[in-house]
Amino acid sequence: MTHTEMYYSEIAEAYEKIEATTKRLEMTDLLVNLLKNTPKEIIDKVVYLTQGKIYPDFVKLEIGVAERLAIKALAHASGRRESEIEEDLKKSGDIGETAQKFTAQKRQVTFFQKPLTVQKVYETFDKMAKASGAGAVDTKIMLLAGLLADATPKEAKYIMRTVTGNLRLGIADMTVLDALAIAYGGGKEARELIERAYNISSDLGRVAKVVAEKGLDGIKKFQVIVGEPIRPMLAERLSSPEEILEKLGGKCIAEYKYDGERVQAHKEGEEIKLFSRRLEDISDQYPDAVELLKRHVLAKDAILEGECVAIDPDTGEMRPFQELMHRRRKYEIEKAMEEYPISLFMFDALYVDGKDLTLKPYPVRRKALEKVVKEGDRVKIAKHIITSDVKELEKFFLEAIEDGCEGLVCKSVAADSVYQAGARGWLWIKYKRDYKSEMTDTVDLVVVGAFHGRGRRAGTYGALLLAAYNPESDTFETVTKCGTGFTDEDLAKLPKTLKPHVIPHKHPRVNSIIAADVWLEPKIVLEILGAEITLSPIHTCAMNVIRQGSGLAIRFPRFTGNYRLDKAAEDATTTNEITEMYQKQLKKIAES
Ligand code: ATP
């Protein structure tokens, strides 16, 4: 073994410890140790692996081993029958544990087992991900069986969980950034610089490698690259034009808030890739958008953002966001393109022909956008006004609603109005129709726990423990327990929907006083409508913010029937947003 190599057993050991902890700080410490012990040449790979991946999310390649294949591979490697493995799996419910057990009881013991290196494991995963065409299934099985044959029981457990997409250590991107800052940036202060590198590349592996090999100097020189999605800038919300103008220093660019799917378009010569709000490559869903951009973007290379909106093929009018869901289907895209055509409304330019614009103020970026986009019927630049007048802003808002938009996004024109990659800030403020009464607006909450049902609901769950996201501490704080709004069908499906996310103890990123019957990793986001927000000693959302010893809770919550599949847990409503809603509510009560 050379100094650039590392045994996979070291990773497996670290995983085991990480899995056992319920404390976030401890988790970070363990990760710091692992990263420090990792040879710099392969630190990117180790970072991906700890998150159960082999590439950053925007790369469209997955190891993708179905349980059925995993069982076959384990049968090969252990010399046991598939039926025996299946039987055990039924009991354990975890293919990792089953693999550990069967590897330990291997019938044919090989005496010349070579210890597995991280490189070997990674390369094999990589080959599995790239196997395609006829014979791909067999290739995957043989590759996996080969790894399992050389693995110790503990290694087998984690290999199996990784390939089936069940590693679930719960190491969030932000935890990795913390750990990198401590391990290679000289301490927490480096965190901001490292985070920016991540925000403009979405590639934790690349960031890790640069900081490990070149230190903070390397990170300072970190560049936007066409093809690597920039994490989206997000808007705060306010409910009156007065407040908005005040917050934005008296003047803003107000734009229509189109109700569609956000796309970040990366053009490199003739090649165009589209990334979603969650940074997934969605080019295949919108071949028409790709064609439109080829014709309407005048630069050779560019990164532009816009909203892709469904339009009525007959009238050209904007249609609701839901119609874009037809594009999610893998097949029949041709048909969807015909039945549900789209238009593009562009609203930002982040990079144009060698120039990174992310640190330029918005007026400069908008000028660049106007220069680089040739407008046409189906490609437009977001409709806007520049204003410092409350009445004018209100009028423009009403026009936007009439034109079928959700409202406005009002943008700062100040010298510091940079593109805040990956952040929800006050440089963009959304003004939406439905804020007239705070709780007529829905919130998006994360499921973090569940309670067993009784009576009619025996065998399924009676209620779910829901949380808002606190971006400052990167934790999920409980805000309500919700058991209404679920149809019988929803209820019947709940155990199956939640099962892949069940964990043995409260997730380290979840902050809860209430003890749930079943804990879940924060993954699933539900749209919830509540009656009002109240102070509560048993919910941790915004604990001590309004009053010492109290958090905030949503009363009478009801599931609207919408699973927000388009949102990651970190995209849920924030604890700050709930606090603001609470304050608004108080104000309204005072006024009435
Ligand atoms: P929402 O559910 O309100 O869209 P969100 O969390 O997805 O919330 P926000 O940052 O709060 O996103 O609101 C901005 C979103 O509005 C963007 O993500 C984008 O998809 C959409 N949008 C539509 N028109 C514009 C525009 N002109 N400028 C910026 N964003 C726009």
PDB file of all heavy atoms in Angstrom, residues 233-236 255-262 277 307 347 382 406 409 411 424 428 430 432 435 444 564 567 571, ligand 1:
ATOM      1  N   MET A 233     -29.897  31.269  -5.566  1.00  0.00           N
ATOM      2  CA  MET A 233     -30.194  32.359  -4.637  1.00  0.00           C
ATOM      3  C   MET A 233     -31.700  32.339  -4.396  1.00  0.00           C
ATOM      4  O   MET A 233     -32.468  32.112  -5.325  1.00  0.00           O
ATOM      5  CB  MET A 233     -29.803  33.675  -5.299  1.00  0.00           C
ATOM      6  CG  MET A 233     -30.227  34.917  -4.565  1.00  0.00           C
ATOM      7  SD  MET A 233     -29.367  36.358  -5.286  1.00  0.00           S
ATOM      8  CE  MET A 233     -29.964  37.658  -4.236  1.00  0.00           C
ATOM      9  N   LEU A 234     -32.119  32.558  -3.155  1.00  0.00           N
ATOM     10  CA  LEU A 234     -33.545  32.489  -2.838  1.00  0.00           C
ATOM     11  C   LEU A 234     -34.029  33.782  -2.195  1.00  0.00           C
ATOM     12  O   LEU A 234     -33.226  34.589  -1.734  1.00  0.00           O
ATOM     13  CB  LEU A 234     -33.821  31.309  -1.909  1.00  0.00           C
ATOM     14  CG  LEU A 234     -33.478  29.937  -2.489  1.00  0.00           C
ATOM     15  CD1 LEU A 234     -33.554  28.882  -1.417  1.00  0.00           C
ATOM     16  CD2 LEU A 234     -34.391  29.592  -3.647  1.00  0.00           C
ATOM     17  N   ALA A 235     -35.338  33.923  -2.178  1.00  0.00           N
ATOM     18  CA  ALA A 235     -35.936  35.173  -1.732  1.00  0.00           C
ATOM     19  C   ALA A 235     -36.524  35.062  -0.332  1.00  0.00           C
ATOM     20  O   ALA A 235     -37.014  34.016   0.063  1.00  0.00           O
ATOM     21  CB  ALA A 235     -37.034  35.568  -2.707  1.00  0.00           C
ATOM     22  N   GLU A 236     -36.480  36.152   0.404  1.00  0.00           N
ATOM     23  CA  GLU A 236     -37.253  36.266   1.636  1.00  0.00           C
ATOM     24  C   GLU A 236     -38.653  36.705   1.241  1.00  0.00           C
ATOM     25  O   GLU A 236     -38.925  36.968   0.067  1.00  0.00           O
ATOM     26  CB  GLU A 236     -36.617  37.309   2.561  1.00  0.00           C
ATOM     27  CG  GLU A 236     -35.369  36.829   3.265  1.00  0.00           C
ATOM     28  CD  GLU A 236     -35.681  35.853   4.405  1.00  0.00           C
ATOM     29  OE1 GLU A 236     -36.875  35.658   4.713  1.00  0.00           O
ATOM     30  OE2 GLU A 236     -34.731  35.310   4.983  1.00  0.00           O
ATOM     31  N   GLU A 255     -39.895  42.385 -10.494  1.00  0.00           N
ATOM     32  CA  GLU A 255     -40.133  41.519 -11.649  1.00  0.00           C
ATOM     33  C   GLU A 255     -41.332  40.629 -11.393  1.00  0.00           C
ATOM     34  O   GLU A 255     -41.620  40.287 -10.242  1.00  0.00           O
ATOM     35  CB  GLU A 255     -38.906  40.619 -11.879  1.00  0.00           C
ATOM     36  CG  GLU A 255     -37.692  41.358 -12.371  1.00  0.00           C
ATOM     37  CD  GLU A 255     -36.466  40.450 -12.472  1.00  0.00           C
ATOM     38  OE1 GLU A 255     -36.537  39.264 -12.069  1.00  0.00           O
ATOM     39  OE2 GLU A 255     -35.436  40.937 -12.943  1.00  0.00           O
ATOM     40  N   TYR A 256     -41.994  40.215 -12.455  1.00  0.00           N
ATOM     41  CA  TYR A 256     -43.044  39.220 -12.325  1.00  0.00           C
ATOM     42  C   TYR A 256     -42.463  37.975 -11.665  1.00  0.00           C
ATOM     43  O   TYR A 256     -41.341  37.574 -11.978  1.00  0.00           O
ATOM     44  CB  TYR A 256     -43.568  38.816 -13.711  1.00  0.00           C
ATOM     45  CG  TYR A 256     -44.672  39.702 -14.263  1.00  0.00           C
ATOM     46  CD1 TYR A 256     -44.913  40.966 -13.753  1.00  0.00           C
ATOM     47  CD2 TYR A 256     -45.473  39.235 -15.307  1.00  0.00           C
ATOM     48  CE1 TYR A 256     -45.937  41.756 -14.270  1.00  0.00           C
ATOM     49  CE2 TYR A 256     -46.495  40.019 -15.836  1.00  0.00           C
ATOM     50  CZ  TYR A 256     -46.717  41.283 -15.311  1.00  0.00           C
ATOM     51  OH  TYR A 256     -47.721  42.058 -15.818  1.00  0.00           O
ATOM     52  N   LYS A 257     -43.219  37.372 -10.777  1.00  0.00           N
ATOM     53  CA  LYS A 257     -42.820  36.070 -10.230  1.00  0.00           C
ATOM     54  C   LYS A 257     -43.600  35.011 -10.998  1.00  0.00           C
ATOM     55  O   LYS A 257     -44.777  34.771 -10.735  1.00  0.00           O
ATOM     56  CB  LYS A 257     -43.116  35.976  -8.731  1.00  0.00           C
ATOM     57  CG  LYS A 257     -42.598  34.689  -8.102  1.00  0.00           C
ATOM     58  CD  LYS A 257     -42.830  34.680  -6.592  1.00  0.00           C
ATOM     59  CE  LYS A 257     -42.081  33.563  -5.883  1.00  0.00           C
ATOM     60  NZ  LYS A 257     -42.436  32.226  -6.303  1.00  0.00           N
ATOM     61  N   TYR A 258     -42.954  34.413 -11.969  1.00  0.00           N
ATOM     62  CA  TYR A 258     -43.609  33.421 -12.828  1.00  0.00           C
ATOM     63  C   TYR A 258     -43.788  32.122 -12.057  1.00  0.00           C
ATOM     64  O   TYR A 258     -42.944  31.761 -11.241  1.00  0.00           O
ATOM     65  CB  TYR A 258     -42.771  33.197 -14.091  1.00  0.00           C
ATOM     66  CG  TYR A 258     -42.658  34.453 -14.922  1.00  0.00           C
ATOM     67  CD1 TYR A 258     -41.588  35.330 -14.752  1.00  0.00           C
ATOM     68  CD2 TYR A 258     -43.644  34.782 -15.838  1.00  0.00           C
ATOM     69  CE1 TYR A 258     -41.494  36.503 -15.482  1.00  0.00           C
ATOM     70  CE2 TYR A 258     -43.559  35.956 -16.577  1.00  0.00           C
ATOM     71  CZ  TYR A 258     -42.483  36.810 -16.398  1.00  0.00           C
ATOM     72  OH  TYR A 258     -42.399  37.973 -17.116  1.00  0.00           O
ATOM     73  N   ASP A 259     -44.870  31.434 -12.349  1.00  0.00           N
ATOM     74  CA  ASP A 259     -45.170  30.216 -11.597  1.00  0.00           C
ATOM     75  C   ASP A 259     -44.851  28.994 -12.441  1.00  0.00           C
ATOM     76  O   ASP A 259     -45.706  28.444 -13.121  1.00  0.00           O
ATOM     77  CB  ASP A 259     -46.659  30.228 -11.218  1.00  0.00           C
ATOM     78  CG  ASP A 259     -46.982  29.135 -10.226  1.00  0.00           C
ATOM     79  OD1 ASP A 259     -46.039  28.519  -9.684  1.00  0.00           O
ATOM     80  OD2 ASP A 259     -48.174  28.890  -9.993  1.00  0.00           O
ATOM     81  N   GLY A 260     -43.596  28.620 -12.408  1.00  0.00           N
ATOM     82  CA  GLY A 260     -43.203  27.458 -13.204  1.00  0.00           C
ATOM     83  C   GLY A 260     -42.091  26.706 -12.508  1.00  0.00           C
ATOM     84  O   GLY A 260     -42.076  26.654 -11.280  1.00  0.00           O
ATOM     85  N   GLU A 261     -41.175  26.166 -13.267  1.00  0.00           N
ATOM     86  CA  GLU A 261     -40.034  25.466 -12.679  1.00  0.00           C
ATOM     87  C   GLU A 261     -38.777  26.271 -12.952  1.00  0.00           C
ATOM     88  O   GLU A 261     -38.507  26.673 -14.082  1.00  0.00           O
ATOM     89  CB  GLU A 261     -39.918  24.058 -13.294  1.00  0.00           C
ATOM     90  CG  GLU A 261     -38.673  23.325 -12.818  1.00  0.00           C
ATOM     91  CD  GLU A 261     -38.768  21.813 -12.917  1.00  0.00           C
ATOM     92  OE1 GLU A 261     -39.599  21.311 -13.696  1.00  0.00           O
ATOM     93  OE2 GLU A 261     -37.983  21.134 -12.207  1.00  0.00           O
ATOM     94  N   ARG A 262     -38.002  26.482 -11.885  1.00  0.00           N
ATOM     95  CA  ARG A 262     -36.772  27.237 -12.059  1.00  0.00           C
ATOM     96  C   ARG A 262     -35.773  26.395 -12.838  1.00  0.00           C
ATOM     97  O   ARG A 262     -35.605  25.215 -12.544  1.00  0.00           O
ATOM     98  CB  ARG A 262     -36.200  27.562 -10.683  1.00  0.00           C
ATOM     99  CG  ARG A 262     -34.953  28.414 -10.725  1.00  0.00           C
ATOM    100  CD  ARG A 262     -34.520  28.716  -9.306  1.00  0.00           C
ATOM    101  NE  ARG A 262     -33.474  29.718  -9.280  1.00  0.00           N
ATOM    102  CZ  ARG A 262     -33.285  30.558  -8.272  1.00  0.00           C
ATOM    103  NH1 ARG A 262     -34.081  30.511  -7.220  1.00  0.00           N
ATOM    104  NH2 ARG A 262     -32.314  31.435  -8.293  1.00  0.00           N
ATOM    105  N   ARG A 277     -34.035  23.481  -9.524  1.00  0.00           N
ATOM    106  CA  ARG A 277     -33.799  24.195  -8.272  1.00  0.00           C
ATOM    107  C   ARG A 277     -32.985  23.336  -7.313  1.00  0.00           C
ATOM    108  O   ARG A 277     -32.227  23.834  -6.499  1.00  0.00           O
ATOM    109  CB  ARG A 277     -35.164  24.521  -7.660  1.00  0.00           C
ATOM    110  CG  ARG A 277     -35.158  25.351  -6.410  1.00  0.00           C
ATOM    111  CD  ARG A 277     -36.598  25.483  -5.938  1.00  0.00           C
ATOM    112  NE  ARG A 277     -36.727  26.304  -4.756  1.00  0.00           N
ATOM    113  CZ  ARG A 277     -36.314  25.974  -3.551  1.00  0.00           C
ATOM    114  NH1 ARG A 277     -35.695  24.825  -3.352  1.00  0.00           N
ATOM    115  NH2 ARG A 277     -36.504  26.774  -2.526  1.00  0.00           N
ATOM    116  N   GLU A 307     -37.336  31.008 -15.485  1.00  0.00           N
ATOM    117  CA  GLU A 307     -38.450  30.164 -15.072  1.00  0.00           C
ATOM    118  C   GLU A 307     -39.070  29.556 -16.322  1.00  0.00           C
ATOM    119  O   GLU A 307     -39.310  30.249 -17.307  1.00  0.00           O
ATOM    120  CB  GLU A 307     -39.472  31.030 -14.314  1.00  0.00           C
ATOM    121  CG  GLU A 307     -40.499  30.246 -13.547  1.00  0.00           C
ATOM    122  CD  GLU A 307     -40.054  29.842 -12.136  1.00  0.00           C
ATOM    123  OE1 GLU A 307     -38.886  30.085 -11.754  1.00  0.00           O
ATOM    124  OE2 GLU A 307     -40.905  29.264 -11.421  1.00  0.00           O
ATOM    125  N   PHE A 347     -34.279  35.467 -15.867  1.00  0.00           N
ATOM    126  CA  PHE A 347     -34.158  36.533 -14.861  1.00  0.00           C
ATOM    127  C   PHE A 347     -32.762  36.751 -14.276  1.00  0.00           C
ATOM    128  O   PHE A 347     -32.585  37.587 -13.393  1.00  0.00           O
ATOM    129  CB  PHE A 347     -35.193  36.362 -13.738  1.00  0.00           C
ATOM    130  CG  PHE A 347     -35.154  35.048 -13.003  1.00  0.00           C
ATOM    131  CD1 PHE A 347     -34.155  34.768 -12.104  1.00  0.00           C
ATOM    132  CD2 PHE A 347     -36.143  34.099 -13.221  1.00  0.00           C
ATOM    133  CE1 PHE A 347     -34.130  33.571 -11.419  1.00  0.00           C
ATOM    134  CE2 PHE A 347     -36.129  32.897 -12.535  1.00  0.00           C
ATOM    135  CZ  PHE A 347     -35.117  32.623 -11.633  1.00  0.00           C
ATOM    136  N   ALA A 382     -37.695  38.400 -17.950  1.00  0.00           N
ATOM    137  CA  ALA A 382     -38.761  38.655 -16.973  1.00  0.00           C
ATOM    138  C   ALA A 382     -39.223  40.107 -17.044  1.00  0.00           C
ATOM    139  O   ALA A 382     -38.397  41.026 -17.061  1.00  0.00           O
ATOM    140  CB  ALA A 382     -38.251  38.338 -15.573  1.00  0.00           C
ATOM    141  N   GLU A 406     -47.583  34.580  -9.846  1.00  0.00           N
ATOM    142  CA  GLU A 406     -47.817  34.426  -8.406  1.00  0.00           C
ATOM    143  C   GLU A 406     -47.718  35.746  -7.662  1.00  0.00           C
ATOM    144  O   GLU A 406     -48.103  35.836  -6.506  1.00  0.00           O
ATOM    145  CB  GLU A 406     -46.715  33.540  -7.834  1.00  0.00           C
ATOM    146  CG  GLU A 406     -46.985  32.079  -7.890  1.00  0.00           C
ATOM    147  CD  GLU A 406     -45.889  31.368  -7.129  1.00  0.00           C
ATOM    148  OE1 GLU A 406     -44.712  31.484  -7.516  1.00  0.00           O
ATOM    149  OE2 GLU A 406     -46.208  30.705  -6.131  1.00  0.00           O
ATOM    150  N   VAL A 409     -41.144  39.360  -7.605  1.00  0.00           N
ATOM    151  CA  VAL A 409     -39.897  39.254  -6.856  1.00  0.00           C
ATOM    152  C   VAL A 409     -39.249  40.624  -6.963  1.00  0.00           C
ATOM    153  O   VAL A 409     -38.995  41.114  -8.069  1.00  0.00           O
ATOM    154  CB  VAL A 409     -38.950  38.182  -7.436  1.00  0.00           C
ATOM    155  CG1 VAL A 409     -37.705  38.064  -6.578  1.00  0.00           C
ATOM    156  CG2 VAL A 409     -39.646  36.835  -7.541  1.00  0.00           C
ATOM    157  N   LYS A 411     -36.137  43.083  -6.286  1.00  0.00           N
ATOM    158  CA  LYS A 411     -34.702  42.831  -6.150  1.00  0.00           C
ATOM    159  C   LYS A 411     -33.927  44.104  -5.848  1.00  0.00           C
ATOM    160  O   LYS A 411     -34.206  45.154  -6.425  1.00  0.00           O
ATOM    161  CB  LYS A 411     -34.189  42.187  -7.438  1.00  0.00           C
ATOM    162  CG  LYS A 411     -34.929  40.897  -7.747  1.00  0.00           C
ATOM    163  CD  LYS A 411     -34.400  40.183  -8.985  1.00  0.00           C
ATOM    164  CE  LYS A 411     -35.147  38.866  -9.153  1.00  0.00           C
ATOM    165  NZ  LYS A 411     -34.726  38.137 -10.356  1.00  0.00           N
ATOM    166  N   ARG A 424     -30.893  32.201   1.208  1.00  0.00           N
ATOM    167  CA  ARG A 424     -32.153  32.936   1.187  1.00  0.00           C
ATOM    168  C   ARG A 424     -31.890  34.238   1.922  1.00  0.00           C
ATOM    169  O   ARG A 424     -31.591  34.218   3.114  1.00  0.00           O
ATOM    170  CB  ARG A 424     -33.244  32.116   1.884  1.00  0.00           C
ATOM    171  CG  ARG A 424     -34.628  32.696   1.732  1.00  0.00           C
ATOM    172  CD  ARG A 424     -35.657  31.918   2.509  1.00  0.00           C
ATOM    173  NE  ARG A 424     -35.911  30.580   1.996  1.00  0.00           N
ATOM    174  CZ  ARG A 424     -36.645  30.301   0.922  1.00  0.00           C
ATOM    175  NH1 ARG A 424     -37.196  31.267   0.230  1.00  0.00           N
ATOM    176  NH2 ARG A 424     -36.824  29.062   0.533  1.00  0.00           N
ATOM    177  N   TRP A 428     -33.455  39.708  -2.406  1.00  0.00           N
ATOM    178  CA  TRP A 428     -34.641  39.401  -3.197  1.00  0.00           C
ATOM    179  C   TRP A 428     -35.790  39.249  -2.200  1.00  0.00           C
ATOM    180  O   TRP A 428     -35.651  38.526  -1.208  1.00  0.00           O
ATOM    181  CB  TRP A 428     -34.505  38.057  -3.907  1.00  0.00           C
ATOM    182  CG  TRP A 428     -33.617  38.031  -5.101  1.00  0.00           C
ATOM    183  CD1 TRP A 428     -32.780  39.010  -5.548  1.00  0.00           C
ATOM    184  CD2 TRP A 428     -33.476  36.924  -6.011  1.00  0.00           C
ATOM    185  NE1 TRP A 428     -32.121  38.584  -6.672  1.00  0.00           N
ATOM    186  CE2 TRP A 428     -32.529  37.315  -6.982  1.00  0.00           C
ATOM    187  CE3 TRP A 428     -34.046  35.658  -6.102  1.00  0.00           C
ATOM    188  CZ2 TRP A 428     -32.155  36.469  -8.027  1.00  0.00           C
ATOM    189  CZ3 TRP A 428     -33.663  34.820  -7.133  1.00  0.00           C
ATOM    190  CH2 TRP A 428     -32.726  35.230  -8.095  1.00  0.00           C
ATOM    191  N   LYS A 430     -39.938  38.325  -2.058  1.00  0.00           N
ATOM    192  CA  LYS A 430     -41.117  37.972  -2.839  1.00  0.00           C
ATOM    193  C   LYS A 430     -42.369  38.559  -2.201  1.00  0.00           C
ATOM    194  O   LYS A 430     -42.465  38.688  -0.986  1.00  0.00           O
ATOM    195  CB  LYS A 430     -41.224  36.461  -3.046  1.00  0.00           C
ATOM    196  CG  LYS A 430     -41.247  35.649  -1.795  1.00  0.00           C
ATOM    197  CD  LYS A 430     -41.261  34.152  -2.136  1.00  0.00           C
ATOM    198  CE  LYS A 430     -41.009  33.328  -0.907  1.00  0.00           C
ATOM    199  NZ  LYS A 430     -40.962  31.897  -1.149  1.00  0.00           N
ATOM    200  N   LYS A 432     -46.280  37.883  -2.558  1.00  0.00           N
ATOM    201  CA  LYS A 432     -47.243  36.972  -3.166  1.00  0.00           C
ATOM    202  C   LYS A 432     -48.653  37.314  -2.712  1.00  0.00           C
ATOM    203  O   LYS A 432     -48.858  37.846  -1.633  1.00  0.00           O
ATOM    204  CB  LYS A 432     -46.932  35.512  -2.794  1.00  0.00           C
ATOM    205  CG  LYS A 432     -45.694  34.978  -3.490  1.00  0.00           C
ATOM    206  CD  LYS A 432     -45.725  33.468  -3.732  1.00  0.00           C
ATOM    207  CE  LYS A 432     -45.646  32.657  -2.466  1.00  0.00           C
ATOM    208  NZ  LYS A 432     -45.332  31.232  -2.781  1.00  0.00           N
ATOM    209  N   TYR A 435     -50.747  36.373   1.049  1.00  0.00           N
ATOM    210  CA  TYR A 435     -50.300  36.705   2.395  1.00  0.00           C
ATOM    211  C   TYR A 435     -51.284  37.548   3.168  1.00  0.00           C
ATOM    212  O   TYR A 435     -51.005  37.974   4.261  1.00  0.00           O
ATOM    213  CB  TYR A 435     -48.950  37.440   2.357  1.00  0.00           C
ATOM    214  CG  TYR A 435     -47.865  36.557   1.878  1.00  0.00           C
ATOM    215  CD1 TYR A 435     -46.710  37.054   1.319  1.00  0.00           C
ATOM    216  CD2 TYR A 435     -48.012  35.173   1.978  1.00  0.00           C
ATOM    217  CE1 TYR A 435     -45.729  36.212   0.857  1.00  0.00           C
ATOM    218  CE2 TYR A 435     -47.045  34.331   1.517  1.00  0.00           C
ATOM    219  CZ  TYR A 435     -45.901  34.853   0.960  1.00  0.00           C
ATOM    220  OH  TYR A 435     -44.933  34.016   0.519  1.00  0.00           O
ATOM    221  N   ASP A 444     -44.248  24.508   4.201  1.00  0.00           N
ATOM    222  CA  ASP A 444     -43.697  23.217   3.790  1.00  0.00           C
ATOM    223  C   ASP A 444     -42.857  22.667   4.931  1.00  0.00           C
ATOM    224  O   ASP A 444     -41.852  23.261   5.287  1.00  0.00           O
ATOM    225  CB  ASP A 444     -42.838  23.384   2.544  1.00  0.00           C
ATOM    226  CG  ASP A 444     -43.644  23.913   1.368  1.00  0.00           C
ATOM    227  OD1 ASP A 444     -44.806  23.504   1.237  1.00  0.00           O
ATOM    228  OD2 ASP A 444     -43.115  24.726   0.605  1.00  0.00           O
ATOM    229  N   ARG A 564     -44.300  17.650  -1.284  1.00  0.00           N
ATOM    230  CA  ARG A 564     -43.426  18.568  -2.042  1.00  0.00           C
ATOM    231  C   ARG A 564     -42.175  17.827  -2.489  1.00  0.00           C
ATOM    232  O   ARG A 564     -41.089  18.015  -1.970  1.00  0.00           O
ATOM    233  CB  ARG A 564     -43.063  19.799  -1.198  1.00  0.00           C
ATOM    234  CG  ARG A 564     -44.225  20.729  -0.934  1.00  0.00           C
ATOM    235  CD  ARG A 564     -44.794  21.355  -2.189  1.00  0.00           C
ATOM    236  NE  ARG A 564     -43.809  22.022  -3.030  1.00  0.00           N
ATOM    237  CZ  ARG A 564     -43.666  23.340  -3.109  1.00  0.00           C
ATOM    238  NH1 ARG A 564     -44.420  24.150  -2.437  1.00  0.00           N
ATOM    239  NH2 ARG A 564     -42.757  23.854  -3.911  1.00  0.00           N
ATOM    240  N   LYS A 567     -38.978  19.634  -3.274  1.00  0.00           N
ATOM    241  CA  LYS A 567     -38.172  20.286  -2.244  1.00  0.00           C
ATOM    242  C   LYS A 567     -37.349  19.286  -1.435  1.00  0.00           C
ATOM    243  O   LYS A 567     -37.854  18.236  -1.049  1.00  0.00           O
ATOM    244  CB  LYS A 567     -39.063  21.080  -1.299  1.00  0.00           C
ATOM    245  CG  LYS A 567     -39.679  22.309  -1.966  1.00  0.00           C
ATOM    246  CD  LYS A 567     -40.048  23.378  -0.953  1.00  0.00           C
ATOM    247  CE  LYS A 567     -40.314  24.696  -1.689  1.00  0.00           C
ATOM    248  NZ  LYS A 567     -40.679  25.772  -0.783  1.00  0.00           N
ATOM    249  N   ASP A 571     -35.077  22.794   2.013  1.00  0.00           N
ATOM    250  CA  ASP A 571     -35.872  23.819   1.334  1.00  0.00           C
ATOM    251  C   ASP A 571     -37.194  24.065   2.057  1.00  0.00           C
ATOM    252  O   ASP A 571     -38.032  24.834   1.602  1.00  0.00           O
ATOM    253  CB  ASP A 571     -36.180  23.398  -0.104  1.00  0.00           C
ATOM    254  CG  ASP A 571     -34.918  23.237  -0.916  1.00  0.00           C
ATOM    255  OD1 ASP A 571     -33.989  24.025  -0.675  1.00  0.00           O
ATOM    256  OD2 ASP A 571     -34.857  22.340  -1.760  1.00  0.00           O
TER     257      ASP A 571
HETATM  258  P1  ATP B   1     -41.843  29.489  -3.885  1.00  0.00           P
HETATM  259  O1  ATP B   1     -42.527  28.223  -3.462  1.00  0.00           O
HETATM  260  O2  ATP B   1     -42.503  30.757  -3.406  1.00  0.00           O
HETATM  261  O3  ATP B   1     -41.488  29.531  -5.338  1.00  0.00           O
HETATM  262  P2  ATP B   1     -39.097  28.893  -3.325  1.00  0.00           P
HETATM  263  O4  ATP B   1     -38.523  28.536  -1.998  1.00  0.00           O
HETATM  264  O5  ATP B   1     -39.141  27.852  -4.366  1.00  0.00           O
HETATM  265  O6  ATP B   1     -40.529  29.498  -3.050  1.00  0.00           O
HETATM  266  P3  ATP B   1     -38.095  31.571  -3.439  1.00  0.00           P
HETATM  267  O7  ATP B   1     -36.675  31.935  -3.490  1.00  0.00           O
HETATM  268  O8  ATP B   1     -38.770  31.794  -2.174  1.00  0.00           O
HETATM  269  O9  ATP B   1     -38.260  30.084  -3.945  1.00  0.00           O
HETATM  270  O10 ATP B   1     -38.857  32.390  -4.532  1.00  0.00           O
HETATM  271  C1  ATP B   1     -38.193  32.646  -5.740  1.00  0.00           C
HETATM  272  C2  ATP B   1     -38.587  31.621  -6.766  1.00  0.00           C
HETATM  273  O11 ATP B   1     -39.488  32.224  -7.674  1.00  0.00           O
HETATM  274  C3  ATP B   1     -37.403  31.186  -7.597  1.00  0.00           C
HETATM  275  O12 ATP B   1     -36.851  29.993  -7.106  1.00  0.00           O
HETATM  276  C4  ATP B   1     -37.967  31.034  -8.998  1.00  0.00           C
HETATM  277  O13 ATP B   1     -38.282  29.677  -9.236  1.00  0.00           O
HETATM  278  C5  ATP B   1     -39.257  31.804  -8.994  1.00  0.00           C
HETATM  279  N1  ATP B   1     -39.240  33.013  -9.846  1.00  0.00           N
HETATM  280  C6  ATP B   1     -40.183  33.346 -10.743  1.00  0.00           C
HETATM  281  N2  ATP B   1     -39.932  34.495 -11.321  1.00  0.00           N
HETATM  282  C7  ATP B   1     -38.774  34.962 -10.793  1.00  0.00           C
HETATM  283  C8  ATP B   1     -38.003  36.125 -11.009  1.00  0.00           C
HETATM  284  N3  ATP B   1     -38.354  37.070 -11.865  1.00  0.00           N
HETATM  285  N4  ATP B   1     -36.859  36.243 -10.291  1.00  0.00           N
HETATM  286  C9  ATP B   1     -36.487  35.309  -9.399  1.00  0.00           C
HETATM  287  N5  ATP B   1     -37.185  34.192  -9.170  1.00  0.00           N
HETATM  288  C10 ATP B   1     -38.325  34.001  -9.859  1.00  0.00           C
END
